[in-house]
Amino acid sequence: MTRAEAKERNRRALLDAAFQVVSRDGYRARLDEIAERADLTTGAVYSLFGSKNGLVVALVADHLRPYYEEIEQTIPAGLDLLEAVDAFARYYWRSCDAPNALSGLSLQITLLDMALHDPELGTQLATSVRAQENHLISLFTGRSHNGTLVTPRQAQRLTTALRALFVGLSQGVPLGLAPDADEQYFADVARALASGISLNDHDEDAS
């Protein structure tokens, strides 16, 4: 095994261990337990991630990256905005209905709790999430909608609104707060939200 391969193996082991410990313990998660589960030392954490917060931020990026990569494959370039939003909503529903959905939701809630206890970590997590969401913004930018093209500013605002909508639904469905929510419902509410996107002269990016 090369040095680079060993480094990547150790990084993967720490991320997998961190997912288990952080999902369970949140801000109380201990580096020594994470390192022990990965069969490494805490020194490896600092060497690879710089700090406990660095490890948590990397965990979020590792969790979100394949999600947004799959979205890019789900939404073809030829769709207009509402068709793209429809495809995104249906993909989101499938992810909420997947076998690992509850573990993902648990991590999401735990990370929010950690951010509330550590504002610096909260800022770092927000930066990491925004970096991943840029993929979705790019997917919506330039699509046709009501005879014009969606600007980056409009795509950003839409992405923020869709995230708020689906985070709420993904938390409500397991609790039984949205008993009628299914794939079609996700698509319908997403289309309704996107159909109201502002495409007027007041948009600073419109031209």
Side-chain angles (χ1 to χ4, degrees):
M1 180 180 296
T2 66
R3 184 174 180 179
E5 289 172 338
K7 181 177 180 180
E8 180 56 30
R9 181 199 60 187
N10 292 344
R11 180 179 177 278
R12 182 73 264 159
L14 285 168
L15 287 171
D16 291 343
F19 181 87
Q20 297 173 15
V21 178
V22 169
S23 295
R24 186 192 68 202
D25 297 340
Y27 68 93
R28 297 184 183 86
R30 296 183 0 254
L31 277 186
D32 58 346
E33 181 180 357
I34 293 173
E36 183 179 353
R37 280 177 175 260
D39 199 24
L40 294 166
T41 66
T42 55
V45 177
Y46 291 105
S47 175
L48 290 167
F49 301 101
S51 65
K52 177 181 175 181
N53 281 3
L55 173 59
V56 173
V57 171
L59 173 62
V60 172
D62 184 69
H63 182 69
L64 291 178
R65 186 177 299 109
Y67 168 77
Y68 283 105
E69 288 176 352
E70 288 180 12
I71 290 175
E72 290 180 350
Q73 299 172 6
T74 302
I75 308 177
L79 302 182
D80 65 22
L81 179 65
L82 294 186
E83 290 170 335
V85 167
D86 186 290
F88 170 61
R90 293 178 187 279
Y91 172 84
Y92 204 103
W93 161 255
R94 291 192 294 272
S95 69
C96 291
D97 198 41
N100 63 344
L102 287 180
S103 61
L105 177 59
S106 176
L107 177 63
Q108 181 186 113
I109 294 173
T110 299
L111 290 170
L112 177 59
D113 183 52
M114 294 179 71
L116 292 175
H117 282 85
D118 185 343
E120 180 180 349
L121 174 60
T123 299
Q124 294 174 324
L125 289 175
T127 299
S128 178
V129 171
R130 289 193 193 98
Q132 296 299 324
E133 286 187 346
N134 284 336
H135 296 293
L136 194 55
I137 292 171
S138 297
L139 280 176
F140 290 144
T141 298
R143 295 185 185 271
S144 62
H145 182 61
N146 290 341
T148 187
L149 299 181
V150 177
T151 68
R153 165 69 171 165
Q154 292 157 353
Q156 179 184 25
R157 295 179 66 185
L158 176 61
T159 297
T160 298
L162 287 171
R163 170 167 46 81
L165 171 66
F166 287 131
V167 166
L169 284 173
S170 66
Q171 294 176 5
V173 170
L175 296 175
L177 299 177
D180 296 327
D182 56 13
E183 182 175 328
Q184 188 60 50
Y185 179 82
F186 271 53
D188 289 343
V189 295
R191 276 178 168 268
L193 189 153
S195 64
I197 187 174
S198 175
L199 292 174
N200 55 47
D201 293 338
H202 297 292
D203 190 312
E204 61 187 44
D205 290 331
S207 58

PDB file of all heavy atoms in Angstrom, residues 10-43:
ATOM      1  N   ASN A  10      -6.986   5.666   6.163  1.00  0.00           N
ATOM      2  CA  ASN A  10      -7.143   6.219   7.514  1.00  0.00           C
ATOM      3  C   ASN A  10      -8.221   7.300   7.540  1.00  0.00           C
ATOM      4  O   ASN A  10      -9.011   7.373   8.493  1.00  0.00           O
ATOM      5  CB  ASN A  10      -5.816   6.798   8.004  1.00  0.00           C
ATOM      6  CG  ASN A  10      -4.770   5.729   8.245  1.00  0.00           C
ATOM      7  OD1 ASN A  10      -5.091   4.544   8.338  1.00  0.00           O
ATOM      8  ND2 ASN A  10      -3.516   6.135   8.332  1.00  0.00           N
ATOM      9  N   ARG A  11      -8.236   8.107   6.505  1.00  0.00           N
ATOM     10  CA  ARG A  11      -9.255   9.166   6.425  1.00  0.00           C
ATOM     11  C   ARG A  11     -10.645   8.555   6.377  1.00  0.00           C
ATOM     12  O   ARG A  11     -11.566   9.001   7.063  1.00  0.00           O
ATOM     13  CB  ARG A  11      -8.997  10.029   5.186  1.00  0.00           C
ATOM     14  CG  ARG A  11      -9.990  11.163   4.979  1.00  0.00           C
ATOM     15  CD  ARG A  11      -9.633  11.966   3.727  1.00  0.00           C
ATOM     16  NE  ARG A  11     -10.616  13.008   3.497  1.00  0.00           N
ATOM     17  CZ  ARG A  11     -11.781  12.805   2.888  1.00  0.00           C
ATOM     18  NH1 ARG A  11     -12.103  11.596   2.447  1.00  0.00           N
ATOM     19  NH2 ARG A  11     -12.634  13.793   2.723  1.00  0.00           N
ATOM     20  N   ARG A  12     -10.803   7.510   5.556  1.00  0.00           N
ATOM     21  CA  ARG A  12     -12.099   6.847   5.426  1.00  0.00           C
ATOM     22  C   ARG A  12     -12.520   6.197   6.740  1.00  0.00           C
ATOM     23  O   ARG A  12     -13.688   6.263   7.137  1.00  0.00           O
ATOM     24  CB  ARG A  12     -11.993   5.785   4.328  1.00  0.00           C
ATOM     25  CG  ARG A  12     -13.257   5.011   3.999  1.00  0.00           C
ATOM     26  CD  ARG A  12     -14.236   5.883   3.248  1.00  0.00           C
ATOM     27  NE  ARG A  12     -15.226   6.481   4.110  1.00  0.00           N
ATOM     28  CZ  ARG A  12     -15.917   7.561   3.790  1.00  0.00           C
ATOM     29  NH1 ARG A  12     -15.717   8.182   2.648  1.00  0.00           N
ATOM     30  NH2 ARG A  12     -16.802   8.035   4.624  1.00  0.00           N
ATOM     31  N   ALA A  13     -11.567   5.580   7.421  1.00  0.00           N
ATOM     32  CA  ALA A  13     -11.866   4.914   8.685  1.00  0.00           C
ATOM     33  C   ALA A  13     -12.316   5.929   9.730  1.00  0.00           C
ATOM     34  O   ALA A  13     -13.253   5.661  10.498  1.00  0.00           O
ATOM     35  CB  ALA A  13     -10.631   4.152   9.174  1.00  0.00           C
ATOM     36  N   LEU A  14     -11.687   7.090   9.766  1.00  0.00           N
ATOM     37  CA  LEU A  14     -12.065   8.123  10.737  1.00  0.00           C
ATOM     38  C   LEU A  14     -13.434   8.712  10.417  1.00  0.00           C
ATOM     39  O   LEU A  14     -14.229   8.979  11.327  1.00  0.00           O
ATOM     40  CB  LEU A  14     -11.000   9.218  10.776  1.00  0.00           C
ATOM     41  CG  LEU A  14      -9.700   8.854  11.495  1.00  0.00           C
ATOM     42  CD1 LEU A  14      -8.620   9.893  11.231  1.00  0.00           C
ATOM     43  CD2 LEU A  14      -9.936   8.698  12.996  1.00  0.00           C
ATOM     44  N   LEU A  15     -13.724   8.910   9.146  1.00  0.00           N
ATOM     45  CA  LEU A  15     -15.034   9.443   8.761  1.00  0.00           C
ATOM     46  C   LEU A  15     -16.144   8.458   9.112  1.00  0.00           C
ATOM     47  O   LEU A  15     -17.205   8.858   9.613  1.00  0.00           O
ATOM     48  CB  LEU A  15     -15.059   9.764   7.266  1.00  0.00           C
ATOM     49  CG  LEU A  15     -14.262  10.993   6.832  1.00  0.00           C
ATOM     50  CD1 LEU A  15     -14.193  11.072   5.301  1.00  0.00           C
ATOM     51  CD2 LEU A  15     -14.875  12.273   7.394  1.00  0.00           C
ATOM     52  N   ASP A  16     -15.912   7.183   8.858  1.00  0.00           N
ATOM     53  CA  ASP A  16     -16.923   6.166   9.181  1.00  0.00           C
ATOM     54  C   ASP A  16     -17.139   6.083  10.688  1.00  0.00           C
ATOM     55  O   ASP A  16     -18.274   5.968  11.163  1.00  0.00           O
ATOM     56  CB  ASP A  16     -16.494   4.800   8.638  1.00  0.00           C
ATOM     57  CG  ASP A  16     -16.534   4.734   7.109  1.00  0.00           C
ATOM     58  OD1 ASP A  16     -17.192   5.601   6.501  1.00  0.00           O
ATOM     59  OD2 ASP A  16     -15.890   3.828   6.542  1.00  0.00           O
ATOM     60  N   ALA A  17     -16.053   6.137  11.446  1.00  0.00           N
ATOM     61  CA  ALA A  17     -16.161   6.092  12.901  1.00  0.00           C
ATOM     62  C   ALA A  17     -16.845   7.349  13.426  1.00  0.00           C
ATOM     63  O   ALA A  17     -17.675   7.289  14.345  1.00  0.00           O
ATOM     64  CB  ALA A  17     -14.772   5.944  13.523  1.00  0.00           C
ATOM     65  N   ALA A  18     -16.510   8.488  12.847  1.00  0.00           N
ATOM     66  CA  ALA A  18     -17.119   9.748  13.284  1.00  0.00           C
ATOM     67  C   ALA A  18     -18.616   9.750  13.023  1.00  0.00           C
ATOM     68  O   ALA A  18     -19.395  10.268  13.831  1.00  0.00           O
ATOM     69  CB  ALA A  18     -16.457  10.923  12.559  1.00  0.00           C
ATOM     70  N   PHE A  19     -19.036   9.171  11.915  1.00  0.00           N
ATOM     71  CA  PHE A  19     -20.470   9.099  11.623  1.00  0.00           C
ATOM     72  C   PHE A  19     -21.197   8.349  12.736  1.00  0.00           C
ATOM     73  O   PHE A  19     -22.252   8.781  13.217  1.00  0.00           O
ATOM     74  CB  PHE A  19     -20.695   8.393  10.286  1.00  0.00           C
ATOM     75  CG  PHE A  19     -22.147   8.298   9.890  1.00  0.00           C
ATOM     76  CD1 PHE A  19     -22.764   9.322   9.182  1.00  0.00           C
ATOM     77  CD2 PHE A  19     -22.909   7.186  10.239  1.00  0.00           C
ATOM     78  CE1 PHE A  19     -24.100   9.242   8.829  1.00  0.00           C
ATOM     79  CE2 PHE A  19     -24.245   7.095   9.893  1.00  0.00           C
ATOM     80  CZ  PHE A  19     -24.850   8.127   9.186  1.00  0.00           C
ATOM     81  N   GLN A  20     -20.650   7.262  13.170  1.00  0.00           N
ATOM     82  CA  GLN A  20     -21.280   6.458  14.219  1.00  0.00           C
ATOM     83  C   GLN A  20     -21.310   7.200  15.552  1.00  0.00           C
ATOM     84  O   GLN A  20     -22.348   7.266  16.222  1.00  0.00           O
ATOM     85  CB  GLN A  20     -20.527   5.136  14.374  1.00  0.00           C
ATOM     86  CG  GLN A  20     -20.552   4.254  13.139  1.00  0.00           C
ATOM     87  CD  GLN A  20     -19.643   3.041  13.281  1.00  0.00           C
ATOM     88  OE1 GLN A  20     -19.212   2.697  14.373  1.00  0.00           O
ATOM     89  NE2 GLN A  20     -19.340   2.403  12.160  1.00  0.00           N
ATOM     90  N   VAL A  21     -20.178   7.779  15.947  1.00  0.00           N
ATOM     91  CA  VAL A  21     -20.076   8.405  17.266  1.00  0.00           C
ATOM     92  C   VAL A  21     -20.808   9.743  17.307  1.00  0.00           C
ATOM     93  O   VAL A  21     -21.532  10.034  18.265  1.00  0.00           O
ATOM     94  CB  VAL A  21     -18.598   8.579  17.666  1.00  0.00           C
ATOM     95  CG1 VAL A  21     -18.491   9.283  19.025  1.00  0.00           C
ATOM     96  CG2 VAL A  21     -17.892   7.234  17.711  1.00  0.00           C
ATOM     97  N   VAL A  22     -20.631  10.551  16.272  1.00  0.00           N
ATOM     98  CA  VAL A  22     -21.282  11.861  16.246  1.00  0.00           C
ATOM     99  C   VAL A  22     -22.797  11.709  16.160  1.00  0.00           C
ATOM    100  O   VAL A  22     -23.540  12.450  16.812  1.00  0.00           O
ATOM    101  CB  VAL A  22     -20.748  12.699  15.066  1.00  0.00           C
ATOM    102  CG1 VAL A  22     -21.597  13.961  14.861  1.00  0.00           C
ATOM    103  CG2 VAL A  22     -19.292  13.101  15.318  1.00  0.00           C
ATOM    104  N   SER A  23     -23.279  10.748  15.362  1.00  0.00           N
ATOM    105  CA  SER A  23     -24.723  10.528  15.261  1.00  0.00           C
ATOM    106  C   SER A  23     -25.318  10.164  16.618  1.00  0.00           C
ATOM    107  O   SER A  23     -26.464  10.512  16.920  1.00  0.00           O
ATOM    108  CB  SER A  23     -25.028   9.417  14.254  1.00  0.00           C
ATOM    109  OG  SER A  23     -24.642   9.786  12.951  1.00  0.00           O
ATOM    110  N   ARG A  24     -24.543   9.470  17.432  1.00  0.00           N
ATOM    111  CA  ARG A  24     -25.038   9.030  18.736  1.00  0.00           C
ATOM    112  C   ARG A  24     -24.871  10.098  19.820  1.00  0.00           C
ATOM    113  O   ARG A  24     -25.774  10.342  20.613  1.00  0.00           O
ATOM    114  CB  ARG A  24     -24.281   7.774  19.157  1.00  0.00           C
ATOM    115  CG  ARG A  24     -24.792   7.113  20.442  1.00  0.00           C
ATOM    116  CD  ARG A  24     -23.804   6.071  20.930  1.00  0.00           C
ATOM    117  NE  ARG A  24     -22.573   6.702  21.386  1.00  0.00           N
ATOM    118  CZ  ARG A  24     -21.403   6.060  21.460  1.00  0.00           C
ATOM    119  NH1 ARG A  24     -21.310   4.801  21.079  1.00  0.00           N
ATOM    120  NH2 ARG A  24     -20.325   6.701  21.894  1.00  0.00           N
ATOM    121  N   ASP A  25     -23.689  10.755  19.839  1.00  0.00           N
ATOM    122  CA  ASP A  25     -23.343  11.612  20.978  1.00  0.00           C
ATOM    123  C   ASP A  25     -23.361  13.106  20.691  1.00  0.00           C
ATOM    124  O   ASP A  25     -23.292  13.905  21.625  1.00  0.00           O
ATOM    125  CB  ASP A  25     -21.945  11.239  21.497  1.00  0.00           C
ATOM    126  CG  ASP A  25     -21.888   9.815  22.023  1.00  0.00           C
ATOM    127  OD1 ASP A  25     -22.960   9.261  22.338  1.00  0.00           O
ATOM    128  OD2 ASP A  25     -20.780   9.265  22.104  1.00  0.00           O
ATOM    129  N   GLY A  26     -23.429  13.499  19.407  1.00  0.00           N
ATOM    130  CA  GLY A  26     -23.461  14.921  19.089  1.00  0.00           C
ATOM    131  C   GLY A  26     -22.229  15.653  19.578  1.00  0.00           C
ATOM    132  O   GLY A  26     -21.101  15.171  19.431  1.00  0.00           O
ATOM    133  N   TYR A  27     -22.441  16.842  20.196  1.00  0.00           N
ATOM    134  CA  TYR A  27     -21.309  17.660  20.618  1.00  0.00           C
ATOM    135  C   TYR A  27     -20.498  16.994  21.737  1.00  0.00           C
ATOM    136  O   TYR A  27     -19.386  17.411  22.051  1.00  0.00           O
ATOM    137  CB  TYR A  27     -21.776  19.050  21.060  1.00  0.00           C
ATOM    138  CG  TYR A  27     -22.585  19.078  22.338  1.00  0.00           C
ATOM    139  CD1 TYR A  27     -21.969  19.289  23.574  1.00  0.00           C
ATOM    140  CD2 TYR A  27     -23.960  18.903  22.319  1.00  0.00           C
ATOM    141  CE1 TYR A  27     -22.706  19.319  24.745  1.00  0.00           C
ATOM    142  CE2 TYR A  27     -24.712  18.930  23.487  1.00  0.00           C
ATOM    143  CZ  TYR A  27     -24.081  19.141  24.695  1.00  0.00           C
ATOM    144  OH  TYR A  27     -24.811  19.167  25.848  1.00  0.00           O
ATOM    145  N   ARG A  28     -21.042  15.937  22.348  1.00  0.00           N
ATOM    146  CA  ARG A  28     -20.323  15.205  23.384  1.00  0.00           C
ATOM    147  C   ARG A  28     -19.401  14.130  22.796  1.00  0.00           C
ATOM    148  O   ARG A  28     -18.704  13.429  23.538  1.00  0.00           O
ATOM    149  CB  ARG A  28     -21.307  14.540  24.348  1.00  0.00           C
ATOM    150  CG  ARG A  28     -22.183  15.517  25.129  1.00  0.00           C
ATOM    151  CD  ARG A  28     -23.067  14.780  26.123  1.00  0.00           C
ATOM    152  NE  ARG A  28     -23.956  15.665  26.840  1.00  0.00           N
ATOM    153  CZ  ARG A  28     -25.148  16.051  26.409  1.00  0.00           C
ATOM    154  NH1 ARG A  28     -25.594  15.608  25.232  1.00  0.00           N
ATOM    155  NH2 ARG A  28     -25.889  16.874  27.119  1.00  0.00           N
ATOM    156  N   ALA A  29     -19.415  13.975  21.504  1.00  0.00           N
ATOM    157  CA  ALA A  29     -18.573  12.962  20.854  1.00  0.00           C
ATOM    158  C   ALA A  29     -17.108  13.192  21.221  1.00  0.00           C
ATOM    159  O   ALA A  29     -16.611  14.316  21.202  1.00  0.00           O
ATOM    160  CB  ALA A  29     -18.760  13.023  19.340  1.00  0.00           C
ATOM    161  N   ARG A  30     -16.413  12.101  21.570  1.00  0.00           N
ATOM    162  CA  ARG A  30     -15.025  12.196  22.006  1.00  0.00           C
ATOM    163  C   ARG A  30     -14.091  11.705  20.901  1.00  0.00           C
ATOM    164  O   ARG A  30     -14.319  10.660  20.289  1.00  0.00           O
ATOM    165  CB  ARG A  30     -14.811  11.368  23.274  1.00  0.00           C
ATOM    166  CG  ARG A  30     -15.601  11.867  24.458  1.00  0.00           C
ATOM    167  CD  ARG A  30     -15.357  11.102  25.750  1.00  0.00           C
ATOM    168  NE  ARG A  30     -14.416  10.015  25.683  1.00  0.00           N
ATOM    169  CZ  ARG A  30     -14.755   8.717  25.705  1.00  0.00           C
ATOM    170  NH1 ARG A  30     -16.041   8.374  25.745  1.00  0.00           N
ATOM    171  NH2 ARG A  30     -13.831   7.780  25.674  1.00  0.00           N
ATOM    172  N   LEU A  31     -13.028  12.485  20.695  1.00  0.00           N
ATOM    173  CA  LEU A  31     -12.060  12.128  19.662  1.00  0.00           C
ATOM    174  C   LEU A  31     -11.397  10.793  19.951  1.00  0.00           C
ATOM    175  O   LEU A  31     -11.111  10.021  19.023  1.00  0.00           O
ATOM    176  CB  LEU A  31     -10.990  13.219  19.540  1.00  0.00           C
ATOM    177  CG  LEU A  31     -11.326  14.445  18.689  1.00  0.00           C
ATOM    178  CD1 LEU A  31     -10.102  15.332  18.569  1.00  0.00           C
ATOM    179  CD2 LEU A  31     -11.814  14.030  17.308  1.00  0.00           C
ATOM    180  N   ASP A  32     -11.127  10.517  21.220  1.00  0.00           N
ATOM    181  CA  ASP A  32     -10.433   9.268  21.518  1.00  0.00           C
ATOM    182  C   ASP A  32     -11.286   8.056  21.156  1.00  0.00           C
ATOM    183  O   ASP A  32     -10.766   7.034  20.684  1.00  0.00           O
ATOM    184  CB  ASP A  32     -10.005   9.220  22.985  1.00  0.00           C
ATOM    185  CG  ASP A  32     -11.157   9.371  23.963  1.00  0.00           C
ATOM    186  OD1 ASP A  32     -12.249   9.781  23.532  1.00  0.00           O
ATOM    187  OD2 ASP A  32     -10.952   9.092  25.158  1.00  0.00           O
ATOM    188  N   GLU A  33     -12.614   8.159  21.329  1.00  0.00           N
ATOM    189  CA  GLU A  33     -13.469   7.038  20.940  1.00  0.00           C
ATOM    190  C   GLU A  33     -13.528   6.904  19.423  1.00  0.00           C
ATOM    191  O   GLU A  33     -13.509   5.790  18.885  1.00  0.00           O
ATOM    192  CB  GLU A  33     -14.880   7.196  21.500  1.00  0.00           C
ATOM    193  CG  GLU A  33     -15.775   6.020  21.133  1.00  0.00           C
ATOM    194  CD  GLU A  33     -17.192   6.116  21.667  1.00  0.00           C
ATOM    195  OE1 GLU A  33     -17.487   7.079  22.388  1.00  0.00           O
ATOM    196  OE2 GLU A  33     -18.004   5.225  21.338  1.00  0.00           O
ATOM    197  N   ILE A  34     -13.614   8.045  18.726  1.00  0.00           N
ATOM    198  CA  ILE A  34     -13.625   8.003  17.259  1.00  0.00           C
ATOM    199  C   ILE A  34     -12.345   7.357  16.747  1.00  0.00           C
ATOM    200  O   ILE A  34     -12.368   6.469  15.878  1.00  0.00           O
ATOM    201  CB  ILE A  34     -13.785   9.427  16.682  1.00  0.00           C
ATOM    202  CG1 ILE A  34     -15.169   9.984  17.021  1.00  0.00           C
ATOM    203  CG2 ILE A  34     -13.565   9.424  15.171  1.00  0.00           C
ATOM    204  CD1 ILE A  34     -15.362  11.439  16.645  1.00  0.00           C
ATOM    205  N   ALA A  35     -11.208   7.791  17.291  1.00  0.00           N
ATOM    206  CA  ALA A  35      -9.924   7.239  16.865  1.00  0.00           C
ATOM    207  C   ALA A  35      -9.827   5.750  17.192  1.00  0.00           C
ATOM    208  O   ALA A  35      -9.336   4.949  16.379  1.00  0.00           O
ATOM    209  CB  ALA A  35      -8.781   7.996  17.541  1.00  0.00           C
ATOM    210  N   GLU A  36     -10.322   5.362  18.360  1.00  0.00           N
ATOM    211  CA  GLU A  36     -10.272   3.953  18.750  1.00  0.00           C
ATOM    212  C   GLU A  36     -11.108   3.089  17.818  1.00  0.00           C
ATOM    213  O   GLU A  36     -10.692   1.996  17.416  1.00  0.00           O
ATOM    214  CB  GLU A  36     -10.767   3.802  20.186  1.00  0.00           C
ATOM    215  CG  GLU A  36     -10.679   2.378  20.718  1.00  0.00           C
ATOM    216  CD  GLU A  36     -11.151   2.257  22.154  1.00  0.00           C
ATOM    217  OE1 GLU A  36     -11.432   3.302  22.785  1.00  0.00           O
ATOM    218  OE2 GLU A  36     -11.252   1.112  22.641  1.00  0.00           O
ATOM    219  N   ARG A  37     -12.298   3.572  17.456  1.00  0.00           N
ATOM    220  CA  ARG A  37     -13.143   2.824  16.527  1.00  0.00           C
ATOM    221  C   ARG A  37     -12.466   2.661  15.163  1.00  0.00           C
ATOM    222  O   ARG A  37     -12.701   1.675  14.464  1.00  0.00           O
ATOM    223  CB  ARG A  37     -14.491   3.532  16.348  1.00  0.00           C
ATOM    224  CG  ARG A  37     -15.482   3.283  17.479  1.00  0.00           C
ATOM    225  CD  ARG A  37     -16.744   4.082  17.248  1.00  0.00           C
ATOM    226  NE  ARG A  37     -17.757   3.786  18.244  1.00  0.00           N
ATOM    227  CZ  ARG A  37     -18.784   2.967  18.070  1.00  0.00           C
ATOM    228  NH1 ARG A  37     -18.949   2.366  16.906  1.00  0.00           N
ATOM    229  NH2 ARG A  37     -19.650   2.747  19.031  1.00  0.00           N
ATOM    230  N   ALA A  38     -11.685   3.658  14.779  1.00  0.00           N
ATOM    231  CA  ALA A  38     -10.979   3.609  13.492  1.00  0.00           C
ATOM    232  C   ALA A  38      -9.651   2.862  13.587  1.00  0.00           C
ATOM    233  O   ALA A  38      -8.943   2.736  12.584  1.00  0.00           O
ATOM    234  CB  ALA A  38     -10.739   5.029  12.987  1.00  0.00           C
ATOM    235  N   ASP A  39      -9.326   2.395  14.815  1.00  0.00           N
ATOM    236  CA  ASP A  39      -8.057   1.709  15.069  1.00  0.00           C
ATOM    237  C   ASP A  39      -6.875   2.629  14.765  1.00  0.00           C
ATOM    238  O   ASP A  39      -5.854   2.205  14.208  1.00  0.00           O
ATOM    239  CB  ASP A  39      -7.968   0.420  14.236  1.00  0.00           C
ATOM    240  CG  ASP A  39      -6.913  -0.550  14.777  1.00  0.00           C
ATOM    241  OD1 ASP A  39      -6.594  -0.461  15.974  1.00  0.00           O
ATOM    242  OD2 ASP A  39      -6.391  -1.371  13.991  1.00  0.00           O
ATOM    243  N   LEU A  40      -7.032   3.904  15.170  1.00  0.00           N
ATOM    244  CA  LEU A  40      -5.983   4.905  14.975  1.00  0.00           C
ATOM    245  C   LEU A  40      -5.817   5.697  16.262  1.00  0.00           C
ATOM    246  O   LEU A  40      -6.479   5.426  17.266  1.00  0.00           O
ATOM    247  CB  LEU A  40      -6.356   5.837  13.812  1.00  0.00           C
ATOM    248  CG  LEU A  40      -6.421   5.191  12.424  1.00  0.00           C
ATOM    249  CD1 LEU A  40      -7.113   6.107  11.436  1.00  0.00           C
ATOM    250  CD2 LEU A  40      -5.011   4.840  11.936  1.00  0.00           C
ATOM    251  N   THR A  41      -4.958   6.689  16.240  1.00  0.00           N
ATOM    252  CA  THR A  41      -4.752   7.557  17.397  1.00  0.00           C
ATOM    253  C   THR A  41      -5.387   8.914  17.143  1.00  0.00           C
ATOM    254  O   THR A  41      -5.695   9.272  15.993  1.00  0.00           O
ATOM    255  CB  THR A  41      -3.259   7.756  17.677  1.00  0.00           C
ATOM    256  OG1 THR A  41      -2.680   8.495  16.568  1.00  0.00           O
ATOM    257  CG2 THR A  41      -2.549   6.415  17.806  1.00  0.00           C
ATOM    258  N   THR A  42      -5.571   9.689  18.227  1.00  0.00           N
ATOM    259  CA  THR A  42      -6.108  11.047  18.049  1.00  0.00           C
ATOM    260  C   THR A  42      -5.152  11.903  17.222  1.00  0.00           C
ATOM    261  O   THR A  42      -5.585  12.844  16.565  1.00  0.00           O
ATOM    262  CB  THR A  42      -6.359  11.717  19.410  1.00  0.00           C
ATOM    263  OG1 THR A  42      -5.147  11.687  20.185  1.00  0.00           O
ATOM    264  CG2 THR A  42      -7.460  11.007  20.178  1.00  0.00           C
ATOM    265  N   GLY A  43      -3.879  11.535  17.248  1.00  0.00           N
ATOM    266  CA  GLY A  43      -2.920  12.275  16.425  1.00  0.00           C
ATOM    267  C   GLY A  43      -3.252  12.184  14.953  1.00  0.00           C
ATOM    268  O   GLY A  43      -3.025  13.138  14.192  1.00  0.00           O
TER     269      GLY A  43
END
